[in-house]
Amino acid sequence: MKSLEHAVVGAVAGTVAAVALDPPGSLPLLVAGAVFVSVFIDLDHFVIARVQRGDWANLRLAVTNPRVGLLDQERVFEEFGTDFNRKRLLSHHLVGGVAVGALALSGLGSLAAFLAVVLYVHVVCDFLRDLGIA
């Protein structure tokens, strides 16, 4: 999904999760955090592309060409196939699992649950897009 789509989905998921789970923090702060997490977890795509290509060409393309980086994001990783998509989803699970686990172990269970919901929705949306459903 594109960053703007993830931002909208993150705002909705964050609002619902904040109201339902009542984690610490104000509703606007939690929703802003959900939007931030929903968009910026996708930075792992550049690390995966770096490992696969051996250089940062994909990151350079997104940063140096604002049209591609903001409006035509599919072009950034179009050279990679389904294997990239599986690695991307796995990376999201690993990053999310560590973040949620760290919050839970820190005694912030409701915040961990909030983050888990936001990231779950992000991954499901990515998966639906990969299947061509959304």
Side-chain angles (χ1 to χ4, degrees):
M1 292 181 72
K2 293 181 180 180
S3 296
L4 181 58
E5 295 168 325
H6 275 308
V8 171
V9 168
V12 172
T15 301
V16 171
V19 170
L21 299 169
D22 195 29
S26 67
L27 182 62
L29 181 64
L30 290 165
V31 172
V35 170
F36 179 84
V37 167
S38 293
V39 171
F40 285 95
I41 192 169
D42 281 343
L43 292 178
D44 66 347
H45 300 182
F46 294 104
V47 176
I48 296 166
R50 165 68 171 95
V51 169
Q52 285 194 227
R53 283 182 56 98
D55 61 33
W56 292 102
N58 302 88
L59 180 61
R60 274 193 304 278
L61 173 63
V63 171
T64 60
N65 188 337
R67 174 159 177 70
V68 172
L70 297 173
L71 303 174
D72 196 14
Q73 293 175 340
E74 292 86 8
R75 282 194 42 210
V76 177
F77 303 105
E78 70 185 355
E79 69 193 80
F80 304 107
T82 2
D83 187 49
F84 181 82
N85 291 339
R86 286 192 298 268
K87 289 176 182 176
R88 172 178 53 83
L89 292 174
L90 174 62
S91 176
H92 286 353
H93 279 87
L94 294 173
V95 169
V98 168
V100 168
L103 284 173
L105 290 172
S106 298
L108 299 169
S110 62
L111 194 56
F114 171 80
L115 181 61
V117 168
V118 170
L119 292 177
Y120 174 80
V121 170
H122 177 103
V123 170
V124 168
C125 287
D126 276 352
F127 189 63
L128 291 172
R129 177 61 57 91
D130 290 350
L131 292 174
I133 296 171

